[in-house]
Short mmCIF file of all heavy atoms in Angstrom, two decimals:
data_model
loop_
_atom_site.label_atom_id
_atom_site.label_comp_id
_atom_site.label_asym_id
_atom_site.label_seq_id
_atom_site.Cartn_x
_atom_site.Cartn_y
_atom_site.Cartn_z
N ARG A 77 5.66 -47.24 -16.65
CA ARG A 77 6.02 -48.12 -17.74
C ARG A 77 6.99 -49.19 -17.29
O ARG A 77 7.55 -49.88 -18.13
CB ARG A 77 6.59 -47.32 -18.89
CG ARG A 77 5.59 -46.33 -19.48
CD ARG A 77 6.08 -45.58 -20.68
NE ARG A 77 7.47 -45.25 -20.62
CZ ARG A 77 8.10 -44.45 -21.44
NH1 ARG A 77 7.44 -43.86 -22.38
NH2 ARG A 77 9.38 -44.23 -21.33
N GLY A 78 7.24 -49.33 -16.01
CA GLY A 78 8.10 -50.39 -15.53
C GLY A 78 9.56 -50.01 -15.37
O GLY A 78 10.38 -50.85 -15.03
N GLU A 79 9.93 -48.75 -15.60
CA GLU A 79 11.31 -48.34 -15.45
C GLU A 79 11.70 -48.28 -13.98
O GLU A 79 10.90 -47.96 -13.13
CB GLU A 79 11.57 -46.96 -16.09
CG GLU A 79 11.41 -46.93 -17.58
CD GLU A 79 10.01 -46.55 -18.02
OE1 GLU A 79 9.11 -46.55 -17.17
OE2 GLU A 79 9.83 -46.27 -19.20
N VAL A 80 12.96 -48.60 -13.70
CA VAL A 80 13.50 -48.49 -12.35
C VAL A 80 14.80 -47.70 -12.48
O VAL A 80 15.71 -48.11 -13.20
CB VAL A 80 13.77 -49.88 -11.74
CG1 VAL A 80 14.43 -49.73 -10.37
CG2 VAL A 80 12.49 -50.68 -11.64
N LEU A 81 14.88 -46.57 -11.78
CA LEU A 81 16.06 -45.72 -11.89
C LEU A 81 17.29 -46.36 -11.25
O LEU A 81 18.37 -46.33 -11.80
CB LEU A 81 15.80 -44.36 -11.27
CG LEU A 81 16.95 -43.37 -11.31
CD1 LEU A 81 17.37 -43.08 -12.74
CD2 LEU A 81 16.57 -42.09 -10.60
N SER A 82 17.10 -46.95 -10.08
CA SER A 82 18.24 -47.58 -9.42
C SER A 82 17.77 -48.71 -8.52
O SER A 82 16.63 -48.76 -8.10
CB SER A 82 19.03 -46.56 -8.60
OG SER A 82 18.22 -46.05 -7.56
N VAL A 83 18.68 -49.62 -8.25
CA VAL A 83 18.41 -50.77 -7.41
C VAL A 83 19.61 -50.95 -6.49
O VAL A 83 20.75 -50.84 -6.92
CB VAL A 83 18.23 -52.05 -8.26
CG1 VAL A 83 18.08 -53.27 -7.38
CG2 VAL A 83 17.06 -51.91 -9.20
N VAL A 84 19.35 -51.22 -5.22
CA VAL A 84 20.42 -51.53 -4.29
C VAL A 84 20.68 -53.03 -4.37
O VAL A 84 19.81 -53.84 -4.09
CB VAL A 84 20.06 -51.12 -2.84
CG1 VAL A 84 21.16 -51.55 -1.87
CG2 VAL A 84 19.82 -49.63 -2.76
N MET A 85 21.89 -53.39 -4.82
CA MET A 85 22.27 -54.79 -4.95
C MET A 85 22.92 -55.26 -3.66
O MET A 85 23.61 -54.49 -3.00
CB MET A 85 23.27 -54.95 -6.10
CG MET A 85 22.79 -54.45 -7.44
SD MET A 85 21.53 -55.45 -8.19
CE MET A 85 22.46 -56.91 -8.59
N HIS A 86 22.72 -56.51 -3.33
CA HIS A 86 23.32 -57.08 -2.14
C HIS A 86 24.38 -58.09 -2.54
O HIS A 86 24.35 -58.64 -3.63
CB HIS A 86 22.24 -57.74 -1.28
CG HIS A 86 21.19 -56.77 -0.84
ND1 HIS A 86 21.36 -55.92 0.23
CD2 HIS A 86 19.96 -56.48 -1.35
CE1 HIS A 86 20.28 -55.17 0.37
NE2 HIS A 86 19.42 -55.48 -0.57
N GLY A 87 25.34 -58.34 -1.65
CA GLY A 87 26.40 -59.29 -1.91
C GLY A 87 25.85 -60.63 -2.37
O GLY A 87 24.85 -61.12 -1.83
N GLY A 88 26.47 -61.21 -3.39
CA GLY A 88 26.04 -62.49 -3.90
C GLY A 88 25.03 -62.41 -5.04
O GLY A 88 24.70 -63.42 -5.64
N TRP A 89 24.50 -61.23 -5.32
CA TRP A 89 23.56 -61.09 -6.42
C TRP A 89 24.30 -61.19 -7.74
O TRP A 89 25.46 -60.81 -7.87
CB TRP A 89 22.84 -59.75 -6.34
CG TRP A 89 21.77 -59.69 -5.30
CD1 TRP A 89 21.63 -60.49 -4.20
CD2 TRP A 89 20.71 -58.75 -5.23
NE1 TRP A 89 20.55 -60.11 -3.47
CE2 TRP A 89 19.96 -59.04 -4.07
CE3 TRP A 89 20.32 -57.70 -6.03
CZ2 TRP A 89 18.84 -58.31 -3.71
CZ3 TRP A 89 19.20 -56.97 -5.65
CH2 TRP A 89 18.46 -57.28 -4.52
N ILE A 90 23.58 -61.67 -8.76
CA ILE A 90 24.12 -61.77 -10.11
C ILE A 90 23.27 -60.87 -11.00
O ILE A 90 22.04 -60.88 -10.91
CB ILE A 90 24.03 -63.22 -10.62
CG1 ILE A 90 24.83 -64.15 -9.70
CG2 ILE A 90 24.53 -63.31 -12.06
CD1 ILE A 90 24.58 -65.62 -9.98
N PHE A 91 23.91 -60.07 -11.85
CA PHE A 91 23.12 -59.19 -12.72
C PHE A 91 23.78 -59.03 -14.08
O PHE A 91 24.96 -59.31 -14.26
CB PHE A 91 22.91 -57.81 -12.07
CG PHE A 91 24.15 -56.96 -12.01
CD1 PHE A 91 24.38 -56.02 -12.99
CD2 PHE A 91 25.05 -57.10 -10.97
CE1 PHE A 91 25.53 -55.23 -12.94
CE2 PHE A 91 26.19 -56.31 -10.91
CZ PHE A 91 26.42 -55.36 -11.89
N GLY A 92 22.99 -58.60 -15.03
CA GLY A 92 23.45 -58.31 -16.37
C GLY A 92 22.44 -57.39 -17.03
O GLY A 92 21.37 -57.15 -16.49
N ALA A 93 22.77 -56.90 -18.20
CA ALA A 93 21.86 -56.01 -18.92
C ALA A 93 22.02 -56.20 -20.41
O ALA A 93 23.09 -56.55 -20.89
CB ALA A 93 22.15 -54.56 -18.55
N SER A 94 20.95 -55.99 -21.14
CA SER A 94 20.99 -56.03 -22.60
C SER A 94 19.92 -55.10 -23.16
O SER A 94 19.00 -54.70 -22.45
CB SER A 94 20.77 -57.45 -23.12
OG SER A 94 19.44 -57.84 -22.89
N VAL A 95 20.08 -54.76 -24.43
CA VAL A 95 19.10 -53.95 -25.14
C VAL A 95 18.67 -54.74 -26.36
O VAL A 95 19.49 -55.07 -27.21
CB VAL A 95 19.70 -52.60 -25.57
CG1 VAL A 95 18.68 -51.79 -26.35
CG2 VAL A 95 20.19 -51.83 -24.36
N ASP A 96 17.41 -55.09 -26.43
CA ASP A 96 16.91 -55.89 -27.54
C ASP A 96 16.22 -55.05 -28.62
O ASP A 96 15.95 -55.54 -29.70
CB ASP A 96 15.91 -56.93 -27.03
CG ASP A 96 16.57 -57.95 -26.12
OD1 ASP A 96 17.77 -58.24 -26.31
OD2 ASP A 96 15.90 -58.45 -25.21
N SER A 97 15.98 -53.78 -28.33
CA SER A 97 15.21 -52.96 -29.25
C SER A 97 16.06 -52.33 -30.35
O SER A 97 15.52 -51.72 -31.25
CB SER A 97 14.51 -51.84 -28.47
OG SER A 97 15.47 -50.95 -27.93
N GLY A 98 17.38 -52.47 -30.28
CA GLY A 98 18.23 -51.83 -31.27
C GLY A 98 18.51 -50.38 -30.94
O GLY A 98 19.21 -49.70 -31.66
N GLU A 99 17.97 -49.90 -29.82
CA GLU A 99 18.23 -48.53 -29.40
C GLU A 99 19.41 -48.53 -28.44
O GLU A 99 20.32 -49.32 -28.58
CB GLU A 99 16.97 -47.94 -28.79
CG GLU A 99 15.85 -47.84 -29.82
CD GLU A 99 14.61 -47.18 -29.28
OE1 GLU A 99 14.73 -46.41 -28.30
OE2 GLU A 99 13.54 -47.42 -29.84
N TYR A 100 19.42 -47.69 -27.46
CA TYR A 100 20.54 -47.60 -26.54
C TYR A 100 20.05 -47.64 -25.10
O TYR A 100 18.87 -47.48 -24.82
CB TYR A 100 21.32 -46.30 -26.77
CG TYR A 100 20.54 -45.07 -26.40
CD1 TYR A 100 20.63 -44.53 -25.12
CD2 TYR A 100 19.70 -44.45 -27.32
CE1 TYR A 100 19.89 -43.41 -24.77
CE2 TYR A 100 18.97 -43.34 -26.97
CZ TYR A 100 19.06 -42.81 -25.70
OH TYR A 100 18.34 -41.72 -25.35
N THR A 101 20.99 -47.82 -24.19
CA THR A 101 20.71 -47.75 -22.77
C THR A 101 21.98 -47.36 -22.04
O THR A 101 23.07 -47.44 -22.59
CB THR A 101 20.18 -49.10 -22.23
OG1 THR A 101 19.70 -48.90 -20.90
CG2 THR A 101 21.26 -50.16 -22.23
N LEU A 102 21.84 -46.94 -20.83
CA LEU A 102 22.97 -46.62 -19.97
C LEU A 102 22.89 -47.54 -18.75
O LEU A 102 21.87 -47.57 -18.07
CB LEU A 102 22.94 -45.15 -19.52
CG LEU A 102 23.99 -44.75 -18.47
CD1 LEU A 102 25.39 -44.89 -19.04
CD2 LEU A 102 23.74 -43.34 -18.00
N VAL A 103 23.94 -48.30 -18.52
CA VAL A 103 24.00 -49.19 -17.38
C VAL A 103 25.27 -48.88 -16.62
O VAL A 103 26.33 -48.72 -17.22
CB VAL A 103 24.01 -50.68 -17.83
CG1 VAL A 103 24.15 -51.59 -16.63
CG2 VAL A 103 22.77 -51.01 -18.62
N SER A 104 25.17 -48.78 -15.31
CA SER A 104 26.36 -48.55 -14.51
C SER A 104 26.27 -49.37 -13.23
O SER A 104 25.21 -49.84 -12.84
CB SER A 104 26.52 -47.07 -14.18
OG SER A 104 25.48 -46.65 -13.32
N CYS A 105 27.41 -49.51 -12.60
CA CYS A 105 27.49 -50.24 -11.34
C CYS A 105 28.40 -49.43 -10.42
O CYS A 105 29.55 -49.17 -10.76
CB CYS A 105 28.05 -51.64 -11.57
SG CYS A 105 28.28 -52.56 -10.05
N THR A 106 27.88 -49.01 -9.29
CA THR A 106 28.65 -48.25 -8.31
C THR A 106 28.82 -49.10 -7.07
O THR A 106 27.86 -49.70 -6.60
CB THR A 106 27.91 -46.95 -7.94
OG1 THR A 106 27.68 -46.21 -9.13
CG2 THR A 106 28.71 -46.12 -6.98
N VAL A 107 30.02 -49.17 -6.56
CA VAL A 107 30.29 -49.94 -5.35
C VAL A 107 30.69 -49.01 -4.22
O VAL A 107 31.46 -48.08 -4.41
CB VAL A 107 31.37 -51.02 -5.59
CG1 VAL A 107 30.85 -52.09 -6.51
CG2 VAL A 107 32.63 -50.42 -6.15
N VAL A 108 30.12 -49.26 -3.05
CA VAL A 108 30.39 -48.43 -1.88
C VAL A 108 30.56 -49.37 -0.69
O VAL A 108 29.77 -50.30 -0.55
CB VAL A 108 29.22 -47.46 -1.63
CG1 VAL A 108 29.41 -46.67 -0.36
CG2 VAL A 108 29.04 -46.53 -2.81
N PRO A 109 31.51 -49.25 0.17
CA PRO A 109 32.46 -48.14 0.25
C PRO A 109 33.60 -48.22 -0.74
O PRO A 109 34.26 -47.23 -1.00
CB PRO A 109 33.00 -48.23 1.68
CG PRO A 109 32.89 -49.67 2.02
CD PRO A 109 31.67 -50.17 1.29
N GLY A 110 33.85 -49.39 -1.32
CA GLY A 110 34.93 -49.47 -2.30
C GLY A 110 34.96 -50.84 -2.94
O GLY A 110 34.37 -51.79 -2.45
N PHE A 111 35.64 -50.91 -4.05
CA PHE A 111 35.73 -52.15 -4.81
C PHE A 111 36.88 -53.00 -4.30
O PHE A 111 38.00 -52.51 -4.16
CB PHE A 111 35.93 -51.83 -6.29
CG PHE A 111 36.13 -53.05 -7.15
CD1 PHE A 111 35.05 -53.84 -7.50
CD2 PHE A 111 37.39 -53.40 -7.59
CE1 PHE A 111 35.23 -54.96 -8.30
CE2 PHE A 111 37.58 -54.51 -8.39
CZ PHE A 111 36.49 -55.29 -8.74
N GLU A 112 36.60 -54.26 -4.02
CA GLU A 112 37.64 -55.22 -3.64
C GLU A 112 37.63 -56.32 -4.70
O GLU A 112 36.65 -57.06 -4.83
CB GLU A 112 37.35 -55.83 -2.26
CG GLU A 112 37.40 -54.83 -1.13
CD GLU A 112 38.81 -54.37 -0.82
OE1 GLU A 112 39.77 -55.10 -1.15
OE2 GLU A 112 38.95 -53.27 -0.26
N GLU A 113 38.71 -56.43 -5.46
CA GLU A 113 38.77 -57.41 -6.54
C GLU A 113 38.53 -58.83 -6.04
O GLU A 113 37.95 -59.66 -6.73
CB GLU A 113 40.10 -57.32 -7.27
CG GLU A 113 40.12 -58.12 -8.54
CD GLU A 113 41.33 -57.86 -9.40
OE1 GLU A 113 42.04 -56.87 -9.18
OE2 GLU A 113 41.56 -58.66 -10.33
N ALA A 114 38.93 -59.11 -4.82
CA ALA A 114 38.74 -60.45 -4.24
C ALA A 114 37.25 -60.80 -4.09
O ALA A 114 36.89 -61.97 -4.03
CB ALA A 114 39.44 -60.55 -2.90
N ASP A 115 36.40 -59.79 -4.03
CA ASP A 115 34.95 -60.01 -3.87
C ASP A 115 34.21 -60.09 -5.20
O ASP A 115 33.00 -60.22 -5.22
CB ASP A 115 34.34 -58.89 -3.03
CG ASP A 115 34.88 -58.85 -1.63
OD1 ASP A 115 35.28 -59.91 -1.12
OD2 ASP A 115 34.90 -57.76 -1.03
N TYR A 116 34.92 -59.98 -6.31
CA TYR A 116 34.31 -59.90 -7.64
C TYR A 116 34.65 -61.13 -8.45
O TYR A 116 35.78 -61.60 -8.45
CB TYR A 116 34.83 -58.64 -8.36
CG TYR A 116 34.29 -58.46 -9.74
CD1 TYR A 116 33.00 -57.98 -9.95
CD2 TYR A 116 35.06 -58.77 -10.86
CE1 TYR A 116 32.51 -57.80 -11.22
CE2 TYR A 116 34.57 -58.60 -12.13
CZ TYR A 116 33.29 -58.11 -12.31
OH TYR A 116 32.81 -57.94 -13.57
N ARG A 117 33.63 -61.68 -9.13
CA ARG A 117 33.85 -62.84 -10.00
C ARG A 117 33.01 -62.68 -11.26
O ARG A 117 31.89 -62.21 -11.20
CB ARG A 117 33.40 -64.12 -9.31
CG ARG A 117 34.29 -64.55 -8.20
CD ARG A 117 33.83 -65.85 -7.55
NE ARG A 117 33.60 -66.89 -8.53
CZ ARG A 117 32.60 -67.78 -8.44
NH1 ARG A 117 31.77 -67.76 -7.44
NH2 ARG A 117 32.46 -68.73 -9.35
N ILE A 118 33.58 -63.10 -12.38
CA ILE A 118 32.80 -63.22 -13.62
C ILE A 118 32.41 -64.69 -13.72
O ILE A 118 33.28 -65.56 -13.78
CB ILE A 118 33.62 -62.78 -14.85
CG1 ILE A 118 33.94 -61.29 -14.75
CG2 ILE A 118 32.85 -63.09 -16.13
CD1 ILE A 118 34.79 -60.77 -15.88
N LEU A 119 31.14 -64.95 -13.71
CA LEU A 119 30.63 -66.32 -13.76
C LEU A 119 30.48 -66.78 -15.20
O LEU A 119 29.96 -66.04 -16.04
CB LEU A 119 29.30 -66.42 -13.02
CG LEU A 119 29.35 -65.98 -11.56
CD1 LEU A 119 27.94 -65.89 -10.99
CD2 LEU A 119 30.20 -66.93 -10.75
N MET A 120 30.93 -67.97 -15.48
CA MET A 120 30.85 -68.54 -16.83
C MET A 120 29.53 -69.30 -17.01
O MET A 120 28.89 -69.69 -16.04
CB MET A 120 32.02 -69.50 -17.06
CG MET A 120 33.39 -68.87 -16.98
SD MET A 120 33.69 -67.71 -18.33
CE MET A 120 33.72 -66.19 -17.45
N GLN A 121 29.18 -69.51 -18.27
CA GLN A 121 27.94 -70.22 -18.59
C GLN A 121 27.85 -71.57 -17.88
O GLN A 121 26.80 -71.90 -17.33
CB GLN A 121 27.84 -70.47 -20.10
CG GLN A 121 27.48 -69.25 -20.90
CD GLN A 121 27.37 -69.56 -22.38
OE1 GLN A 121 27.56 -70.69 -22.82
NE2 GLN A 121 27.07 -68.54 -23.16
N SER A 122 28.94 -72.34 -17.89
CA SER A 122 28.89 -73.70 -17.32
C SER A 122 28.52 -73.68 -15.84
O SER A 122 27.69 -74.48 -15.39
CB SER A 122 30.22 -74.41 -17.53
OG SER A 122 31.27 -73.69 -16.92
N GLU A 123 29.10 -72.77 -15.09
CA GLU A 123 28.79 -72.68 -13.66
C GLU A 123 27.34 -72.24 -13.43
O GLU A 123 26.64 -72.80 -12.59
CB GLU A 123 29.75 -71.70 -12.99
CG GLU A 123 29.53 -71.57 -11.50
CD GLU A 123 30.51 -70.61 -10.83
OE1 GLU A 123 31.39 -70.04 -11.51
OE2 GLU A 123 30.38 -70.45 -9.61
N LEU A 124 26.90 -71.26 -14.19
CA LEU A 124 25.53 -70.77 -14.03
C LEU A 124 24.51 -71.82 -14.46
O LEU A 124 23.48 -71.99 -13.80
CB LEU A 124 25.35 -69.48 -14.83
CG LEU A 124 26.12 -68.28 -14.29
CD1 LEU A 124 26.14 -67.16 -15.32
CD2 LEU A 124 25.51 -67.81 -12.98
N LEU A 125 24.79 -72.53 -15.55
CA LEU A 125 23.85 -73.56 -16.01
C LEU A 125 23.73 -74.69 -15.00
O LEU A 125 22.65 -75.25 -14.82
CB LEU A 125 24.30 -74.10 -17.37
CG LEU A 125 24.10 -73.16 -18.54
CD1 LEU A 125 24.84 -73.67 -19.77
CD2 LEU A 125 22.63 -72.95 -18.83
N GLU A 126 24.82 -75.01 -14.33
CA GLU A 126 24.78 -76.06 -13.31
C GLU A 126 23.91 -75.65 -12.13
O GLU A 126 23.13 -76.44 -11.61
CB GLU A 126 26.20 -76.36 -12.83
CG GLU A 126 26.27 -77.52 -11.86
CD GLU A 126 27.70 -77.85 -11.49
OE1 GLU A 126 28.57 -77.87 -12.39
OE2 GLU A 126 27.93 -78.08 -10.29
N LYS A 127 24.02 -74.39 -11.72
CA LYS A 127 23.28 -73.90 -10.56
C LYS A 127 21.84 -73.49 -10.90
O LYS A 127 20.96 -73.61 -10.05
CB LYS A 127 23.99 -72.70 -9.94
CG LYS A 127 25.28 -73.06 -9.24
CD LYS A 127 25.87 -71.83 -8.57
CE LYS A 127 27.12 -72.20 -7.81
NZ LYS A 127 27.68 -71.06 -7.08
N TYR A 128 21.63 -72.96 -12.10
CA TYR A 128 20.33 -72.39 -12.47
C TYR A 128 19.86 -72.88 -13.84
O TYR A 128 19.65 -72.09 -14.76
CB TYR A 128 20.42 -70.86 -12.48
CG TYR A 128 21.03 -70.28 -11.23
CD1 TYR A 128 22.35 -69.84 -11.22
CD2 TYR A 128 20.29 -70.20 -10.05
CE1 TYR A 128 22.92 -69.31 -10.07
CE2 TYR A 128 20.85 -69.67 -8.90
CZ TYR A 128 22.16 -69.23 -8.91
OH TYR A 128 22.72 -68.72 -7.77
N PRO A 129 19.67 -74.19 -14.01
CA PRO A 129 19.30 -74.71 -15.33
C PRO A 129 17.96 -74.17 -15.84
O PRO A 129 17.76 -74.09 -17.05
CB PRO A 129 19.24 -76.23 -15.12
CG PRO A 129 19.03 -76.40 -13.65
CD PRO A 129 19.75 -75.24 -13.00
N GLU A 130 17.11 -73.74 -14.94
CA GLU A 130 15.81 -73.20 -15.35
C GLU A 130 15.94 -71.85 -16.07
O GLU A 130 15.01 -71.39 -16.72
CB GLU A 130 14.88 -73.06 -14.14
CG GLU A 130 15.28 -72.01 -13.14
CD GLU A 130 16.33 -72.45 -12.11
OE1 GLU A 130 16.95 -73.53 -12.26
OE2 GLU A 130 16.54 -71.69 -11.15
N ASN A 131 17.11 -71.23 -15.99
CA ASN A 131 17.36 -69.94 -16.64
C ASN A 131 18.28 -70.08 -17.85
O ASN A 131 18.98 -69.14 -18.23
CB ASN A 131 17.95 -68.97 -15.63
CG ASN A 131 16.98 -68.65 -14.52
OD1 ASN A 131 15.86 -68.24 -14.78
ND2 ASN A 131 17.38 -68.86 -13.30
N ARG A 132 18.27 -71.23 -18.48
CA ARG A 132 19.18 -71.56 -19.58
C ARG A 132 19.20 -70.50 -20.69
O ARG A 132 20.26 -70.06 -21.13
CB ARG A 132 18.81 -72.92 -20.16
CG ARG A 132 19.69 -73.35 -21.31
CD ARG A 132 19.32 -74.73 -21.84
NE ARG A 132 20.11 -75.10 -22.97
CZ ARG A 132 21.36 -75.54 -22.91
NH1 ARG A 132 21.94 -75.68 -21.74
NH2 ARG A 132 22.02 -75.84 -24.01
N ASP A 133 18.04 -70.08 -21.16
CA ASP A 133 17.98 -69.13 -22.27
C ASP A 133 18.68 -67.81 -21.91
O ASP A 133 19.43 -67.26 -22.72
CB ASP A 133 16.54 -68.87 -22.68
CG ASP A 133 15.89 -70.07 -23.34
OD1 ASP A 133 16.61 -71.01 -23.75
OD2 ASP A 133 14.65 -70.10 -23.43
N VAL A 134 18.42 -67.31 -20.72
CA VAL A 134 19.04 -66.05 -20.29
C VAL A 134 20.54 -66.23 -20.11
O VAL A 134 21.34 -65.38 -20.52
CB VAL A 134 18.39 -65.55 -18.98
CG1 VAL A 134 19.14 -64.34 -18.43
CG2 VAL A 134 16.93 -65.22 -19.21
N ILE A 135 20.95 -67.33 -19.51
CA ILE A 135 22.38 -67.59 -19.28
C ILE A 135 23.13 -67.67 -20.60
O ILE A 135 24.20 -67.07 -20.75
CB ILE A 135 22.56 -68.88 -18.45
CG1 ILE A 135 22.04 -68.65 -17.02
CG2 ILE A 135 24.02 -69.33 -18.44
CD1 ILE A 135 21.90 -69.91 -16.21
N LEU A 136 22.58 -68.38 -21.57
CA LEU A 136 23.26 -68.51 -22.87
C LEU A 136 23.35 -67.16 -23.58
O LEU A 136 24.30 -66.91 -24.33
CB LEU A 136 22.55 -69.54 -23.74
CG LEU A 136 22.64 -70.98 -23.24
CD1 LEU A 136 21.83 -71.91 -24.14
CD2 LEU A 136 24.07 -71.46 -23.12
N LYS A 137 22.39 -66.31 -23.36
CA LYS A 137 22.39 -64.99 -23.98
C LYS A 137 23.35 -64.02 -23.29
O LYS A 137 24.05 -63.25 -23.94
CB LYS A 137 20.97 -64.40 -23.95
CG LYS A 137 20.88 -63.01 -24.52
CD LYS A 137 19.46 -62.50 -24.46
CE LYS A 137 19.39 -61.08 -24.98
NZ LYS A 137 18.04 -60.55 -24.91
N MET A 138 23.42 -64.09 -21.96
CA MET A 138 24.10 -63.04 -21.20
C MET A 138 25.50 -63.41 -20.70
O MET A 138 26.33 -62.53 -20.52
CB MET A 138 23.25 -62.65 -19.98
CG MET A 138 21.85 -62.18 -20.29
SD MET A 138 21.78 -60.56 -21.03
CE MET A 138 22.34 -59.56 -19.69
N ALA A 139 25.76 -64.68 -20.44
CA ALA A 139 27.02 -65.06 -19.78
C ALA A 139 28.07 -65.49 -20.79
O ALA A 139 27.75 -65.98 -21.88
CB ALA A 139 26.76 -66.20 -18.79
N TYR A 140 29.33 -65.33 -20.41
CA TYR A 140 30.43 -65.75 -21.26
C TYR A 140 30.56 -67.27 -21.26
O TYR A 140 30.45 -67.91 -20.22
CB TYR A 140 31.77 -65.20 -20.73
CG TYR A 140 31.94 -63.71 -20.88
CD1 TYR A 140 32.01 -62.90 -19.77
CD2 TYR A 140 32.07 -63.14 -22.14
CE1 TYR A 140 32.19 -61.52 -19.90
CE2 TYR A 140 32.26 -61.78 -22.28
CZ TYR A 140 32.31 -60.97 -21.16
OH TYR A 140 32.50 -59.62 -21.29
N LYS A 141 30.80 -67.82 -22.44
CA LYS A 141 31.13 -69.24 -22.54
C LYS A 141 32.57 -69.47 -22.08
O LYS A 141 32.89 -70.42 -21.39
CB LYS A 141 30.95 -69.74 -23.98
CG LYS A 141 31.21 -71.21 -24.14
CD LYS A 141 30.89 -71.68 -25.55
CE LYS A 141 31.08 -73.19 -25.67
NZ LYS A 141 30.70 -73.65 -27.00
N ASN A 142 33.45 -68.57 -22.49
CA ASN A 142 34.86 -68.58 -22.10
C ASN A 142 35.23 -67.19 -21.58
O ASN A 142 34.68 -66.19 -22.05
CB ASN A 142 35.75 -68.93 -23.29
CG ASN A 142 35.45 -70.30 -23.84
OD1 ASN A 142 35.53 -71.30 -23.14
ND2 ASN A 142 35.05 -70.34 -25.11
N PHE A 143 36.19 -67.15 -20.68
CA PHE A 143 36.63 -65.87 -20.13
C PHE A 143 37.22 -65.01 -21.24
O PHE A 143 38.05 -65.46 -22.01
CB PHE A 143 37.67 -66.11 -19.03
CG PHE A 143 37.94 -64.88 -18.23
CD1 PHE A 143 37.08 -64.50 -17.22
CD2 PHE A 143 39.05 -64.11 -18.49
CE1 PHE A 143 37.32 -63.36 -16.47
CE2 PHE A 143 39.30 -62.96 -17.76
CZ PHE A 143 38.44 -62.58 -16.75
N PRO A 144 36.78 -63.75 -21.33
CA PRO A 144 37.31 -62.87 -22.39
C PRO A 144 38.79 -62.56 -22.17
O PRO A 144 39.25 -62.43 -21.05
CB PRO A 144 36.46 -61.59 -22.24
CG PRO A 144 35.89 -61.65 -20.88
CD PRO A 144 35.81 -63.09 -20.47
N LYS A 145 39.52 -62.48 -23.28
CA LYS A 145 40.97 -62.21 -23.20
C LYS A 145 41.24 -60.74 -23.34
O LYS A 145 40.60 -59.99 -23.93
CB LYS A 145 41.69 -62.99 -24.29
CG LYS A 145 41.58 -64.46 -24.08
CD LYS A 145 42.30 -65.20 -25.18
CE LYS A 145 42.14 -66.70 -24.95
NZ LYS A 145 42.85 -67.50 -25.91
#
């Protein structure tokens, strides 16, 4: 049915998740060997739209317009 249990992400990848069915899901992110805050960024809509305008609908749905407080 198209389900994927896990995916190995590589540095520089951008990801997000949503549930449109009104049901639930479990999403997690594990980092190995360890998390380095300097390697992590939350990308804003403006930056993503500039780089990936062809994905406008997804970016507007998934990315922050302003950094959350």
Side-chain angles (χ1 to χ4, degrees):
R77 298 184 324 190
E79 294 92 347
V80 176
L81 180 60
S82 64
V83 174
V84 176
M85 303 289 290
H86 300 279
W89 284 20
I90 301 169
F91 71 96
S94 70
V95 178
D96 295 329
S97 66
E99 296 184 24
Y100 67 92
T101 190
L102 173 64
V103 177
S104 67
C105 176
T106 303
V107 291
V108 175
F111 176 76
E112 295 289 337
E113 191 170 345
D115 296 332
Y116 179 77
R117 288 181 51 217
I118 295 177
L119 302 171
M120 299 292 112
Q121 285 181 0
S122 59
E123 182 179 358
L124 291 167
L125 288 168
E126 185 176 317
K127 289 184 177 183
Y128 310 102
E130 69 277 11
N131 295 306
R132 180 178 177 78
D133 291 344
V134 172
I135 292 168
L136 293 177
K137 178 180 177 181
M138 303 288 293
Y140 291 114
K141 183 175 183 177
N142 299 302
F143 192 80
K145 295 180 181 183

